[in-house]
Amino acid sequence: MTDLFGIPIQALLGQLLLGLVNGSFYAVLSLGLAVIFGLLNIINFAHGALYMLGAFVAWMGLQYLGLNYWVMLALAPLVVGLFGIVLERLLIRHLYKLDHLYGLLLTFGLTLLIEGIFRSIYGVSGQPYPTPALLRGGVNLGFMYMPIYRAWVVAASILVCLATWFMIEKTRLGALLRASTENPKLVEAFGVNVPLVVTLTYGFGVALAGFAGVLAAPIMQVSPLMGSNLIIVVFAVVVIGGMGSIMGSIVTGLGLGVIEGLTKVFWPEASNTVVFIIMVIVLLLRPAGLFGKEK
């Protein structure tokens, strides 16, 4: 059978793979947002800019220092995480006891500042980043041609997401992180440096954005605007999954990416709005999100 509902099976599977790749980016980015909001109660609107920063750090490492993709896949998230730690220590730590609106406005301002700096230096046309030699080409599966790099993106994203979920939900370190934000005075009584734990948590959340930026660099142009084009959709994913829900962000990100890809086949005009349509329906039926908890 070569057709399904009148659509060539190759085109359908190709869009399914594309949707899964986009869903992988949604999952990693929304996971970072969920970690920061769920543990620190901060709406980090700068997440898209930090995703862009991760891609630019990878590009600059190759362009100016000759560091290849694999080195930057480990190094760029560390650089972005350290930058996030500086932001948290200097600015964001003063907002934890204030209304969410203050954090949203501050991180939105940081987004404009970071994007403006890179736009003034590199413009908006974007910089190409080569696919690593090991992951070039594709595999002929008989019913479709699967690019190796896109398969790698999906596999790496799922692995990082599941490792993060396991660390936060199933280990003593994760229990310490949750306890440090839920009852900091009690945890401090046991000799734990709670401010340091909070700072490292924010750094880890934004490092996930930097990791996603490196994964995205060979697929799309490395541009100062690449984060702003994605962050609104990612926020919708977080809302649908449930604000602060780790597993909700992972499952919803992957699922909505697939739905978006299939929508491009069956109803292309709605592909750019299907995520927001689903968000409205979910909020009407379950205001806390699919995996969120009612307060």
Side-chain angles (χ1 to χ4, degrees), residues 17-48:
L17 176 61
L18 182 61
L20 195 57
V21 171
N22 289 336
S24 299
F25 292 131
Y26 297 162
V28 176
L29 286 169
S30 61
L31 176 62
L33 281 176
V35 168
I36 293 171
F37 182 81
L39 298 179
L40 308 184
N41 218 25
I42 288 288
I43 300 176
N44 188 40
F45 204 86
H47 215 63

Side-chain angles (χ1 to χ4, degrees), residues 2-237:
T2 58
D3 288 355
L4 185 65
F5 303 114
I7 305 295
I9 192 68
Q10 291 85 356
L12 186 62
L13 293 174
Q15 284 297 328
L16 186 63
L17 176 61
L18 182 61
L20 195 57
V21 171
N22 289 336
S24 299
F25 292 131
Y26 297 162
V28 176
L29 286 169
S30 61
L31 176 62
L33 281 176
V35 168
I36 293 171
F37 182 81
L39 298 179
L40 308 184
N41 218 25
I42 288 288
I43 300 176
N44 188 40
F45 204 86
H47 215 63
L50 296 168
Y51 158 78
M52 175 273 292
L53 183 61
F56 259 106
V57 169
W59 179 83
M60 289 187 288
L62 179 64
Q63 190 75 11
Y64 302 133
L65 302 176
L67 300 177
N68 65 26
Y69 171 85
W70 301 106
V71 174
M72 296 313 298
L73 189 63
L75 186 59
L78 290 177
V79 172
V80 176
L82 289 174
F83 180 69
I85 286 173
V86 173
L87 291 180
E88 196 278 339
R89 299 291 285 184
L90 295 179
L91 300 172
I92 295 174
R93 66 184 307 180
H94 303 292
L95 305 178
Y96 291 137
K97 295 181 180 180
L98 301 179
D99 189 88
H100 293 314
L101 181 61
Y102 291 95
L104 179 62
L105 291 174
L106 173 63
T107 53
F108 179 68
L110 289 172
T111 297
L112 297 179
L113 177 62
I114 296 169
E115 289 182 353
I117 291 173
F118 278 87
R119 187 164 49 188
S120 65
I121 299 174
Y122 297 104
V124 296
S125 59
Q127 309 292 335
Y129 190 92
T131 303
L134 185 63
L135 300 175
R136 291 174 186 165
V139 178
N140 190 349
L141 300 179
F143 54 88
M144 68 172 292
Y145 186 81
M146 182 176 69
I148 295 175
Y149 186 78
R150 283 168 170 74
W152 155 252
V153 167
V154 174
S157 299
I158 292 176
L159 180 63
V160 167
C161 287
L162 292 179
T164 301
W165 170 82
F166 183 82
M167 185 268 292
I168 292 176
E169 298 291 341
K170 301 296 182 180
T171 66
R172 290 187 63 186
L173 177 60
L176 177 63
L177 293 178
R178 297 194 304 273
S180 297
T181 55
E182 292 174 5
N183 197 334
K185 292 184 178 180
L186 178 62
V187 176
E188 283 181 339
F190 287 94
V192 177
N193 188 341
V194 172
L196 178 61
V197 171
V198 170
T199 299
L200 293 178
T201 301
Y202 185 84
F204 176 73
V206 301
L208 289 173
F211 178 79
V214 181
L215 289 180
I219 295 179
M220 58 188 70
Q221 293 284 329
V222 179
S223 164
L225 302 180
M226 62 186 292
S228 59
N229 297 332
L230 193 61
I231 190 62
I232 301 300
V233 177
V234 173
F235 265 105
V237 171

